[in-house]
Amino acid sequence: MINPQVRVRFAPSPTGYLHVGGLRTALYNFLFARKNNGKFVLRIEDTDRNRFVEGAVENLIAALKWAGLQYDEGPDISGPYGPYMQSQRLEIYHKYAQELISQGKAYYCFCTPERLEALREEQQRMKLPQAKYDKHCLHLSPKEIEENLNRNISKVIRLNVEPNKKIEFDDVIREHVEFDSNNVDDQVLIKSDGYPTYHLANVVDDHLMQITHVIRGEEWLSSTPKHVLLYDAFGWERPVFAHLPLLLNPDRSKLSKRQGDVAVEDYRDKGYLKEALINFVALLGWNAGDDKEFYYIDELIEKFSLERVNKAGAVFDLQKLNWLNAEHLRKKTDDEILEMLKKEIENSEYKSANLSDEKLLLIIQAMKERVTFVRDFIYSCKYFFEAPTDYEQKAIEKNWKEDTSLHLLRLKDEFEKLTNPSKEDYEQVLTQVAEELNVGKGKLIHPLRLAVSGQSTGPGMFDLLYILGKDEVIKRIKTAIEKIKALIK
Ligand code: GLU
């Protein structure tokens, strides 16, 4: 059923780049919003001033836009619930923290870092499973509190977590989740620098921004009991929670920089198509229930549902991403590829190679089935851009026999007689020469390929000749005969 009320958000803390895990979270939120005719909000959670990175928000926005995940409200798109940068909402968090204080659900804490450290050490010595604040400041008298406030002593505001309670919530993916409140610390809501913690700001904003579904990575599951306590303390309705499975390296450890790229920008710069990356990331933890793996974003919107997101961690398989990249590239029209290829050439050493569009289109057609990236149209077939400077050694050993030079000279002579040869003309000549020399066609094709391209594999032989053109083919045959002769002497 289409729910016009759906509002979801992607709420990254700007770290300087967009993590692929972040892209997955953003994508699932985007898909869910579009599918349900809802709104997709971008909220920047920049309340950790120690982690401030210049330009991080701009990078993030650029990466989301590159991927095509356009949000409806965000830092640069005004909406009814803004501003969408938490650092611009500080009074709001203070107001709500005060509300909790006035109801006895939160309290000021003036403990020094030294006292907290001593407490931690003591609890470690007692082998308590986790360090917890001992509610010392909860018991200060109103007079003591006032004095401390007047003296401007450094302070934080903490949530007063009731002990011995079961904290329960439902999660679309994790199902029913329970935590014991004895394991939940009296978390800080407002830090000593006056900034809110993630927990307070996140809950207040999700409420004020009328977020209906909180879709985020599993690493936030352990924060959710704290959030649930806050919703209950404020008397607010909880959103629906959906915690997405972890992303794993192929060895099933948590996806990390050490084992490969994690920044969306890195994949973009390496030449991955946004369609392929989106398709790949969509399958990290979700499937439509069939074997289909190739998707455009519109089909993903149509098929996506939170119910079909898995619990189990999703392995980041680069081979699959490469495969999808090749598939998406192949599905593009030749003209689309031409535009991309021209840009790639512009940034390559073949900038001044001056190949006509017509020739580039022929290269595209010949190579389309053999490439993974746009740049492969250059680097896996450099011979279209320049004559080979060397020849595959193994292929020489295998295919360059005593009589090869003579055979190729014979071919060359026949090619010379042709005017404006087509692919078929080359093929006919080769078949005829093979017959006359009484050798199999392969005996001519392998060394011919080596002579004109320097390589033993590539596109169809006659495509290759046709694209290079008669004069170039003849020139290359002559050069190869001389060079290879010198090499095998
Ligand atoms: N700011 C958190 C992050 O960096 C947001 C987590 C959430 O979605 O609640 O991912």
Side-chain angles (χ1 to χ4, degrees), residues 382-383 386-391 449-455 468 472 476 479-480 483:
K382 282 185 176 180
Y383 42 80
E386 62 178 359
T389 46
D390 44 30
Y391 303 88
R449 178 187 293 286
L450 188 65
V452 297
S453 73
Q455 298 190 10
L468 289 173
E472 188 64 23
R476 289 190 186 186
T479 315
K483 282 200 176 173

Coordinates of all heavy atoms in Angstrom, one line a residue, residues 382-383 386-391 449-455 468 472 476 479-480 483:
K382 N 45.4 -0.8 -27.0 CA 46.3 0.4 -27.3 C 46.6 0.5 -28.8 O 47.0 1.5 -29.4 CB 47.6 0.4 -26.5 CG 47.4 0.8 -25.1 CD 48.9 0.8 -24.5 CE 48.9 1.3 -23.1 NZ 50.3 1.3 -22.7
Y383 N 46.7 -0.8 -29.4 CA 47.1 -0.9 -30.8 C 46.2 -0.1 -31.7 O 46.6 0.1 -32.9 CB 47.2 -2.3 -31.2 CG 46.1 -3.2 -30.7 CD1 44.9 -3.2 -31.4 CD2 46.3 -4.0 -29.6 CE1 43.8 -4.0 -30.9 CE2 45.2 -4.8 -29.1 CZ 44.0 -4.8 -29.8 OH 43.0 -5.6 -29.3
E386 N 48.1 3.4 -31.3 CA 49.5 3.5 -31.8 C 50.0 2.1 -32.2 O 49.5 1.1 -31.7 CB 50.4 4.1 -30.6 CG 50.4 3.1 -29.4 CD 51.3 3.6 -28.3 OE1 51.9 4.7 -28.4 OE2 51.3 2.9 -27.3
A387 N 50.9 2.2 -33.1 CA 51.5 0.9 -33.6 C 52.2 0.2 -32.4 O 52.7 0.8 -31.6 CB 52.5 1.1 -34.7
P388 N 52.2 -1.2 -32.4 CA 52.8 -1.9 -31.3 C 54.3 -1.6 -31.3 O 54.9 -1.4 -32.4 CB 52.5 -3.3 -31.6 CG 52.2 -3.4 -33.0 CD 51.6 -2.1 -33.4
T389 N 54.9 -1.5 -30.1 CA 56.3 -1.3 -30.0 C 57.0 -2.6 -29.7 O 58.2 -2.8 -29.9 CB 56.7 -0.2 -29.0 OG1 55.9 -0.5 -27.8 CG2 56.3 1.2 -29.5
D390 N 56.2 -3.5 -29.1 CA 56.8 -4.8 -28.9 C 55.8 -5.9 -29.1 O 54.6 -5.6 -29.3 CB 57.4 -5.0 -27.5 CG 56.5 -4.4 -26.4 OD1 55.3 -4.4 -26.6 OD2 57.0 -3.9 -25.4
Y391 N 56.2 -7.1 -29.1 CA 55.3 -8.2 -29.5 C 55.4 -9.3 -28.4 O 56.5 -9.6 -27.9 CB 55.8 -8.8 -30.8 CG 55.9 -7.7 -31.9 CD1 57.0 -6.9 -32.1 CD2 54.7 -7.5 -32.7 CE1 57.0 -5.9 -33.0 CE2 54.8 -6.5 -33.6 CZ 55.9 -5.7 -33.8 OH 55.9 -4.7 -34.8
R449 N 47.7 -11.3 -36.4 CA 47.3 -10.6 -35.3 C 48.5 -10.0 -34.5 O 48.5 -8.9 -34.1 CB 46.4 -11.4 -34.4 CG 45.9 -10.7 -33.1 CD 45.2 -11.6 -32.2 NE 43.9 -12.2 -32.7 CZ 42.8 -11.4 -32.8 NH1 42.8 -10.2 -32.4 NH2 41.7 -12.0 -33.3
L450 N 49.4 -10.9 -34.3 CA 50.6 -10.5 -33.5 C 51.3 -9.3 -34.3 O 51.7 -8.3 -33.6 CB 51.6 -11.7 -33.4 CG 52.8 -11.5 -32.5 CD1 52.3 -11.3 -31.1 CD2 53.7 -12.7 -32.6
A451 N 51.4 -9.4 -35.6 CA 52.1 -8.4 -36.3 C 51.4 -7.0 -36.2 O 52.0 -6.0 -36.1 CB 52.2 -8.8 -37.8
V452 N 50.1 -7.0 -36.3 CA 49.4 -5.7 -36.4 C 49.0 -5.2 -35.0 O 48.9 -4.0 -34.8 CB 48.1 -5.7 -37.2 CG1 48.4 -6.0 -38.7 CG2 47.1 -6.7 -36.7
S453 N 49.0 -6.1 -34.0 CA 48.6 -5.6 -32.6 C 49.6 -5.8 -31.6 O 49.5 -5.2 -30.5 CB 47.3 -6.2 -32.2 OG 47.5 -7.6 -31.8
G454 N 50.6 -6.7 -31.8 CA 51.6 -7.0 -30.8 C 51.1 -8.0 -29.8 O 51.8 -8.4 -28.9
Q455 N 49.8 -8.4 -29.9 CA 49.2 -9.3 -28.9 C 48.6 -10.5 -29.6 O 48.4 -10.6 -30.8 CB 48.1 -8.5 -28.2 CG 48.6 -7.3 -27.5 CD 47.5 -6.7 -26.6 OE1 46.5 -7.3 -26.4 NE2 47.8 -5.5 -26.1
L468 N 41.9 -0.7 -38.4 CA 43.2 -0.1 -38.6 C 43.4 0.6 -39.9 O 44.0 1.6 -40.1 CB 44.3 -1.1 -38.4 CG 44.5 -1.6 -37.0 CD1 45.5 -2.8 -36.9 CD2 45.0 -0.5 -36.1
E472 N 47.8 1.2 -42.8 CA 48.4 0.9 -41.4 C 48.7 -0.6 -41.3 O 49.7 -0.9 -40.8 CB 47.4 1.4 -40.3 CG 47.9 1.3 -38.9 CD 49.1 2.3 -38.7 OE1 49.2 3.3 -39.4 OE2 49.8 2.0 -37.7
R476 N 52.3 -2.1 -40.7 CA 52.6 -2.8 -39.4 C 53.1 -4.2 -39.8 O 54.0 -4.8 -39.1 CB 51.3 -2.9 -38.6 CG 51.0 -1.6 -37.9 CD 49.9 -1.7 -36.9 NE 49.5 -0.4 -36.4 CZ 48.7 -0.2 -35.4 NH1 48.2 -1.3 -34.8 NH2 48.4 1.0 -35.0
T479 N 56.8 -3.7 -40.6 CA 57.6 -3.5 -39.4 C 57.8 -4.7 -38.6 O 58.9 -5.0 -38.1 CB 56.9 -2.4 -38.5 OG1 56.5 -1.3 -39.4 CG2 57.8 -1.9 -37.4
A480 N 56.7 -5.4 -38.4 CA 56.7 -6.6 -37.5 C 57.7 -7.7 -38.1 O 58.5 -8.3 -37.3 CB 55.3 -7.2 -37.4
K483 N 61.2 -6.5 -37.2 CA 61.5 -6.5 -35.8 C 61.5 -7.9 -35.2 O 62.4 -8.2 -34.4 CB 60.4 -5.6 -35.0 CG 60.6 -4.2 -35.1 CD 59.9 -3.5 -34.0 CE 60.1 -2.0 -34.0 NZ 59.3 -1.3 -33.0

